[in-house]
């Protein structure tokens, strides 16, 4: 089951990643900044991981993650949150009496 460790990885985790030469000679440590699921199921298939040594962001196959060193916060799943209704979002732009013409210009409506 150790080879399926990548299934438990979440955004924010500090992970050990297999380098191109393979373990135990080649590995690096990074923090997961994005996880991508597959088309048929939501199991991890790709990660974007920021290398802790260089800061370089790499996209890696999920099975290249060897282990989780430190789990990140689990209270935020990364899903979109419901919009907040702030008073400033209800205000108009102040341009309610303007119309765009077909060339992209704006003309003022006149009131008599």
């Amino acid at each position: 089951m150790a080879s399926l460790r990548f299934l438990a990885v979440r955004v924010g985790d500090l992970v050990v990643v297999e380098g191109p030469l393979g373990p135990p000679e080649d590995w690096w440590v990074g923090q997961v900044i994005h996880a991508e699921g597959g088309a048929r199921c939501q199991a991890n298939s790709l990660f974007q991981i920021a290398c802790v040594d260089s800061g370089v962001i790499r996209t890696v196959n999920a099975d290249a993650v060897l282990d989780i060193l430190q789990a990140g916060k689990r209270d935020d799943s990364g899903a979109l949150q419901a919009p907040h209704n702030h008073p400033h979002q209800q205000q108009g732009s102040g341009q309610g009496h303007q119309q765009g013409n077909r060339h992209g210009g704006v003309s003022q409506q006149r009131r008599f």
Side-chain angles (χ1 to χ4, degrees), residues 1-18:
M1 267 319 228
S3 62
L4 299 178
R5 186 75 171 129
F6 66 88
L7 294 174
V9 173
R10 306 257 188 225
V11 172
D13 289 352
L14 195 63
V15 295
V16 178
V17 183
E18 179 181 342

Side-chain angles (χ1 to χ4, degrees), residues 4-54:
L4 299 178
R5 186 75 171 129
F6 66 88
L7 294 174
V9 173
R10 306 257 188 225
V11 172
D13 289 352
L14 195 63
V15 295
V16 178
V17 183
E18 179 181 342
L21 300 178
E25 299 85 24
D26 191 18
W27 55 270
W28 53 281
V29 176
Q31 185 169 19
V32 178
I33 59 173
H34 180 75
E36 186 75 30
R40 294 187 184 141
C41 67
Q42 292 302 314
N44 295 327
S45 59
L46 288 173
F47 294 117
Q48 285 186 329
I49 302 175
C51 178
V52 296
D53 292 328
S54 65

Side-chain angles (χ1 to χ4, degrees), residues 87-106:
H88 69 274
Q89 293 174 329
Q90 304 301 323
Q91 297 173 356
S93 65
Q95 300 175 350
H97 300 297
Q98 294 181 358
Q99 290 181 336
N101 62 28
R102 64 182 178 171
H103 300 291
V106 175

